[in-house]
Amino acid sequence: MTKLRLAIVGAGPAGIYAADILLKAERKFEVSIDLFEQLPAPYGLVRYGVAPDHPRIKGIINALREVLDTGRIRLFGNVLYGRDITLADLKKHYNAVIFATGAVRDAALPIPGTELDGSYGAAEFVSWYDGHPDFPREWPLEHREVAVIGNGNVALDVARTLAKPADDLLSTEIPANVYEGLKRSKVTDVHVFGRRGPAQVKFTPLELRELGEMRDVDVIVHDEDFELDAASIAAIETNKQIFVLNKVLNSWRTRESTGASRRLHLHFWAKPLEILGTDAVEAFRYERTRPDGEGGVVGTGEIREIPVQAVYRAVGYFGSPLPEIPFDSRHGVVPNREGQVIDDNDEQVHGVYATGWIKRGPVGLIGHTKSDAMETIRNVINDQANWWSPALPDEAAVTELLRSRGVEYTDLNGWRHLDEHELALGEAEGRLRVKVVPREEMVRVSNAPLATAAGPRADG
Ligand SMILES: Cc1cc2nc3c(=O)[nH]c(=O)nc-3n(C[C@H](O)[C@H](O)[C@H](O)COP(=O)(O)OP(=O)(O)OC[C@H]3O[C@@H](n4cnc5c(N)ncnc54)[C@H](O)[C@@H]3O)c2cc1C
C-alpha cells in the first residue's frame, strides 16, 4: 500500500486540525505525519494569542492535545522552516508539505507617527502578556492615558488587559513578569477608537459584554455616537449579533459613573489621522466620520485630538513570507486555490499546500481553521499523482538530519514535561499554570529528563 509521508509546518490549530482530519479521512493509502513548529511548544496563537483571562478558549488546547496524544503524529518543536529545515530537505523526505504558519505580525496602519516611542503594535503587546519567548520581557506601562485603535476582538483584548486590575489576572496563566508589570501600570484611561459606528463593530457579544464586568473600571460611551442612519438601523433589526452588541452598548449610555480608578472610553466614527509627538507619543489626532449611506463612512472634516502617551494599533494581523514559497505581499498570504499553492503564473506548485490563517488571511476564529483544513486535506488526498517522490522517506532519516545539524528540537514527550512543569509551578502558587517564557528554559525543561551530553532526546 502506498504511504503518504506528510510534513506540516506550524503546530497551531490549523496544522493540528489538518493532521487530525487526514488521519480520520477515508483514503486508500497509509499516512505518516511530522509536524514542525518553530516554537518549543505547540498550539500557536491559542497559547500565544488568546487572552489569558479566556480560560474556556485556552481550553481548546485540550482538544488539540488529544489529537497529538493519539501517538500518530511526530512533533518537532524548536525547528524553524527556512533555517533548520528547507524546502529541499522536505522534498527529500516527504511526499508533500502543508504550510500552516499563521500570522504573527501587526498589519500596518498607514498614518504618520507610528514610529514614535509609545506607539505599539497589538501583536507585540499580546506576545508580551501571553509570554511569547521571542518578545521583550519588559513592557513600558508608565502611561496614564492610552489609545487603542481598532474595533475587533483583539482591540478589546488589549483594552481589557490594560484596564483590568492585575490581581484579577493572577489566577490565570500569565507569567510572573507580566503580573508584576501590569501591577505597576499607571494607566487610568483607555480610549478605544473605531472608524465606523456602533452597528459596524467587529466585536463578538461575549467579549464586548466583558468590558462592562471589570472591577473598578467605568465604561464610557458618548451619546453623539449613537445617531444611527437607516443602514445601521436595518443592520440592528436584521442581524442578531449586531442587535445584541447594540443592546450592550446602549445599556452603557445610562450607566452612572462609579468613580472607579480606571475608565474605558469607546469612541466611534473616528478615523485615525496621526499620532502626534516629538520623540514620544503625546496625542492622537482623528477625523470624525459619518455613514456614507452604503455601509461605509466618509470624513466630516471635523478634526479632534486627544492627549495620550501611548497608542496600541490593533488593526489586524499579517502573514509573513516563507523562504522558497510563493507569497502574496498585498494580502499577507500564501497564494492558493482551495489550499493548493499556486505560483505567479497561477500554476499549481506540486506537493505544496497551505491551511489556516496563512491560507486565507488572519480573520476568523479557531473553529474556522477546521473547515479550512478539510478543504486542504481533500486536495492533498485527491492530488496523489502530483506528490513528490522522496529519496529518503524513512522516518529515522529526519531525526538524523536535525541531529546532524545540531538542531535542539523538542518532541511530544518534551511538551508533556514542559506542560507538567508549568502546571506544577502554577499549583505551587494556587494558579492554573505559570508559563515558562525564555526559549532556552522551555527547551531545557522539555528535554531535561532524558537529555544527554550528546544532544536532544531521541524519542518522540
Ligand atoms: C490576539 C488574538 C486573540 C485571539 N483570540 C481568539 C479567541 O478568543 N477565540 C478564537 O476562536 N480565536 C481567537 N483568535 C484567532 C485564532 O488564534 C486563530 O484563528 C488561529 O490561531 C489561527 O490558526 P493558525 O494555525 O492558522 O495560526 P497560528 O495559531 O498562528 O499557528 C501558526 C503556527 O506556525 C508556527 N510557525 C510560523 N512560522 C513558522 C516557520 N517558519 N517554521 C515553523 N513554524 C512556524 C507558529 O509559531 C505558530 O505556532 C485570536 C487571535 C489573536 C491574534
Side-chain angles (χ1 to χ4, degrees), residues 319-453:
S320 302
L322 292 155
E324 299 185 82
I325 302 299
F327 189 66
D328 173 349
S329 52
R330 206 166 140 238
H331 300 103
V333 297
V334 169
N336 68 90
R337 250 190 316 264
E338 299 185 347
Q340 291 171 314
V341 173
I342 52 175
D343 63 17
D344 290 348
N345 301 319
D346 240 19
E347 304 276 342
Q348 187 187 342
V349 181
H350 293 312
V352 184
Y353 302 84
T355 197
W357 272 18
I358 197 63
K359 169 187 176 187
R360 73 179 147 79
V363 281
L365 297 175
I366 297 162
H368 295 132
T369 62
K370 208 179 226 177
S371 36
D372 254 357
M374 279 179 188
E375 185 184 71
T376 298
I377 290 298
R378 194 170 52 244
N379 279 314
V380 173
I381 292 175
N382 292 339
D383 253 5
Q384 191 168 352
N386 292 321
W387 292 348
W388 300 325
S389 304
L392 291 173
D394 179 24
E395 289 180 7
V398 176
T399 40
E400 275 161 31
L401 173 79
L402 293 174
R403 280 212 205 99
S404 72
R405 289 192 179 151
V407 179
E408 220 183 330
Y409 63 86
T410 57
D411 60 17
L412 198 50
N413 277 335
W415 160 245
R416 291 185 188 119
H417 288 294
L418 180 61
D419 189 34
E420 280 163 22
H421 178 74
E422 291 185 341
L423 291 172
L425 289 178
E427 202 180 335
E429 294 182 21
R431 302 177 53 195
L432 216 57
R433 161 192 304 270
V434 174
K435 260 186 191 167
V436 173
V437 183
R439 186 181 277 263
E440 321 76 66
E441 195 182 333
M442 292 176 76
V443 174
R444 186 178 54 72
V445 173
S446 301
N447 290 339
L450 297 180
T452 65

Side-chain angles (χ1 to χ4, degrees), residues 9-15 36-39 44-45 49-50 54 57 79-81 100-103 126 154 157 317 322 356-357 364-366 369:
V9 180
F36 294 96
E37 167 57 53
Q38 65 109 354
L39 290 166
L45 283 170
V50 170
H54 282 172
I57 309 291
V79 178
L80 180 73
Y81 167 81
T101 47
V126 168
V154 175
D157 283 350
Y317 275 53
L322 292 155
W357 272 18
L365 297 175
I366 297 162
T369 62

